[in-house]
Amino acid sequence: MIKSRFKGTWSGSNIFITLCRLSVFFLRGCYERIFFSKAGGLVLIGKNVSIRYAKYLEAGRDLIVEDYAEINCLAEKKIILGDRVTIGKFAIIRPGNIYGGEIGVGLKIGNNSNIGPYGYIGCSGYIEIGNNVMISPRVSIYAENHIFDRADITMKEQGVQRQFVKIEDDCWIAANSVILAGVTIGKGSVIAAGSVVTKDIPPYSIAAGVPAKVISSRK
């Protein structure tokens, strides 16, 4: 069973080293899951992972949080992760300022989806990510915009406007893309690397550019 998991040219020694590393992840996960609101199954936690306010975290089966990731779970609608979700190295999930201020709304991620390494998920407004969504390295998603209508006071004093962000099932968000507040990305869409998405993307679209525009359809 284990051998079938490691396909191709994996040597016996490399499989052993990998299993030893995962065993350490498993032991960390056994400890961390005690503090979760819910954990449906296996939890693997990398080194130097920071999970704050874990009682607001609901996890499905086979959660993987890789090295140095940070998850702030203090949110009105919690942080809800489906089955087989992976949070990549150095990724940040942050619904609000970790030093106080207004509490954010939260995040929901569906089954078989992942946040890539160095990703930033700013879920002060609500963010919903569907099933089988691939989010590549260094992707940023923001569910708020700073208000800057007035020039007589600082922008910091004017606060923010929170908006819903939704990425539907079976999307691929390529590396270094930015998804801005109020956007819905339709099912089966591809967002090209380095794009900035400012408007809704129809289902099964291929979008690219700054700002992102639909350049083709998968259908």
Side-chain angles (χ1 to χ4, degrees):
M1 179 179 174
I2 292 175
K3 192 69 176 176
S4 65
R5 178 74 178 177
F6 295 89
K7 300 175 182 178
T9 57
W10 282 83
S11 67
S13 61
N14 287 335
I15 292 173
F16 176 75
I17 291 168
T18 300
L19 291 176
C20 287
R21 184 167 180 262
L22 291 177
S23 296
V24 177
F25 281 27
F26 172 75
L27 292 174
R28 290 196 193 99
C30 288
Y31 172 75
E32 292 286 352
R33 64 180 290 149
I34 295 171
F35 305 100
F36 292 4
S37 171
K38 175 184 175 182
L42 185 68
V43 176
L44 302 178
I45 303 291
K47 65 181 179 181
N48 294 316
V49 167
S50 175
I51 301 178
R52 300 186 175 97
Y53 308 102
K55 67 179 181 179
Y56 297 98
L57 173 61
E58 294 186 9
R61 294 181 287 113
D62 303 337
L63 170 65
I64 301 174
V65 185
E66 296 182 345
D67 301 344
Y68 301 99
E70 175 195 311
I71 306 175
N72 178 6
C73 306
L74 182 58
E76 295 171 5
K77 295 185 178 181
K78 299 185 177 181
I79 304 298
I80 301 175
L81 309 177
D83 297 339
R84 295 172 296 279
V85 168
T86 299
I87 309 299
K89 289 184 178 182
F90 293 96
I92 296 174
I93 296 174
R94 188 173 289 177
N97 192 318
I98 60 175
Y99 304 108
E102 192 174 357
I103 294 173
V105 182
L107 168 70
K108 181 179 180 181
I109 301 179
N111 300 332
N112 305 309
S113 295
N114 71 279
I115 305 298
Y118 295 92
Y120 182 85
I121 311 298
C123 49
S124 58
Y126 197 58
I127 295 177
E128 185 175 314
I129 297 170
N131 301 321
N132 301 300
V133 173
M134 300 182 293
I135 298 182
S136 300
R138 301 184 188 276
V139 169
S140 299
I141 306 175
Y142 300 94
E144 69 175 23
N145 280 312
H146 286 280
I147 299 170
F148 53 87
D149 295 340
R150 296 174 57 183
D152 58 321
I153 59 174
T154 67
M155 287 181 280
K156 278 190 174 183
E157 293 176 278
Q158 296 178 60
V160 298
Q161 180 185 36
R162 293 175 170 178
Q163 293 178 280
F164 179 52
V165 174
K166 185 172 185 178
I167 301 175
E168 296 182 348
D169 298 346
D170 190 31
C171 289
W172 173 25
I173 314 299
N176 295 296
S177 295
V178 178
I179 313 299
L180 297 183
V183 163
T184 294
I185 297 176
K187 181 178 180 179
S189 291
V190 176
I191 306 301
S195 299
V196 178
V197 183
T198 61
K199 295 181 180 179
D200 292 352
I201 302 296
Y204 299 101
S205 297
I206 299 172
V210 182
K213 296 181 180 179
V214 176
I215 59 174
S216 183
S217 172
R218 292 182 61 210
K219 287 193 171 183

